[in-house]
Amino acid sequence: MARKVIDEPSEDIVANARKERAERRGPFSRFALFIRQVIAELRKVVTPTRRELVSYTIVVLVFVVIMMAIVTGLDTVFSLLVNFLFGDPSVVTG
């Protein structure tokens, strides 16, 4: 099972960001700070186990299939309703 990580910025990152902000550096320094912060956040990422990954994948696929069925059903109902109200466009009167 994956570790539980509290999603709070660590004190050293906050302190470094405040220090950098106080110094008012140029655009390249701000970009470097951004990259350092991104790397620090990526170190907190926990990779799911194979079992969790399979479980999540199945949940997503089932959800997508259910949503496709709902949208298909609504599309069919609205199509029948429009054809009933305005006539069947495939029938050409002449």
Side-chain angles (χ1 to χ4, degrees), residues 41-55:
E41 288 297 320
L42 285 175
R43 287 189 179 134
K44 296 179 187 179
V45 173
V46 178
T47 305
T49 63
R50 178 175 295 274
R51 184 179 213 160
E52 290 173 333
L53 187 62
V54 168
S55 166

Side-chain angles (χ1 to χ4, degrees), residues 52-63:
E52 290 173 333
L53 187 62
V54 168
S55 166
Y56 298 155
T57 302
I58 291 171
V59 167
V60 168
L61 290 176
V62 168
F63 177 77

